[in-house]
Amino acid sequence: MSEKSWKEVPIGGLIVEPGNSKNYKTGSWRSFKPVWYEDRCIQCLACWNSCPEPSIFVVEGKVTGIDYDFCKGCGICAEVCPEKAHAIEMEPEF
Amino acid sequence: MASLKELAAREQKLAPGHRACAGCIPALTFHQVLRSAPGHVVASCATGCIEVVTTIYPYTAWKIPFIHNAFENSAATISGVEAAYQALKRKGKVTKDIKFIGFGGDGGTYDIGLQSLSGAMERGHDMLYVCYDNEAYMNTGIQRSSATPFAADTKTAPVGKVRKGKKQYPKNLTEIIIAHDVAYAAQASPSFWRDLNKKVEKALSIEGPAFINVLAPCPPGWRFPTEMGIEMGKLAVDTCFWPLYEFENHKRKLTYKPKEKLPLSEWTKHQGRFRHLHQEENKHLLELAQQEVDRRWKELLFLCGEPA
């Protein structure tokens, strides 16, 4: 977050934008990253439903990718992905 | 009951970018509960992990009205808001249909917030209280609470040469709330999302006080790998440590009965806080913990009118 002068801070120090935590990227916490393979995905949405962030992109009921801005790399998505699909794999970040 | 596709299409009430640990199941619990509540929701939260991680200044993860008051009065706060809403609605100043959900961790519910929760349940407000039970004061560094299981290692009930973790069995809060004869009470787990979704929808549709106790595994507190959170919840249910049941119309009903009741060691062996239980000299403690789980499970089966 860029620094603000006291004149720019809302009165009372209020936070005026709901859900502004989306400006704080937690993706740098990650040491392992999930990689999603579209061809193997059966679109069960189990990963989205189990992600604590949530950092799985879902557009019109379909998974379209992983939001690396916020993913903390816990690996739950790869764990809950059905065995027969195995569409998410964890890979080292560095 | 909504499908995952329908849930994904709803507007999410909690934004990403909160500072919960990797693999935090309490955060997932909040997502799953709030997704199950379409429409207007006002939430309050007792001091605890999720209150802290979602509201680190100058950020907030909440997209809905959110009130944090103090550690002990999440239920009192939300019940007051509900009473004000009822008065304004009566006068025709508010026409919207609004639901009220109070949240609290096990510290803010089992221990510190019990009196305010009891009061709110007894007064019969039209609200839902959700306790995310991660079985210790995780936010301040894993101190024991009255929800911590028997023999678990915590910072204030540590494992040493003489003392082997917590000496007491966990308090059965769901039964305490049921004793208030509330409109709806249930135990749930985010590992069984369909069951949790159904219970939240039911609790919000019923007029009167409702309570849902959710077991929320905590990777750093319970000391298991971050990807195991969903599995931990499943095992807790399958070992009958955390039975899924509900209380409605003065009757208890099991909503999930494990096909095969697993031994408690299947659940404890993955967790660092129970590591000492799997050493030869502490086998008797595991035996005691198993006996207590069996006793409570048998009692619950009897209360639910199920064959033992």
Side-chain angles (χ1 to χ4, degrees), chain B residues 106-127:
Chain B
D106 57 304
T109 309
Y110 279 67
D111 295 349
I112 301 172
L114 187 59
Q115 48 81 18
S116 78
L117 175 62
S118 175
M121 294 286 130
E122 187 268 331
R123 290 191 299 271
H125 294 278
D126 185 15
M127 58 172 269

Side-chain angles (χ1 to χ4, degrees), chain B residues 162-176:
Chain B
V162 180
R163 196 185 162 132
K164 306 286 179 193
K166 192 184 164 185
K167 285 179 181 168
Q168 297 82 5
Y169 296 108
K171 183 151 91 185
N172 196 340
L173 182 71
T174 316
E175 287 298 323
I176 295 174

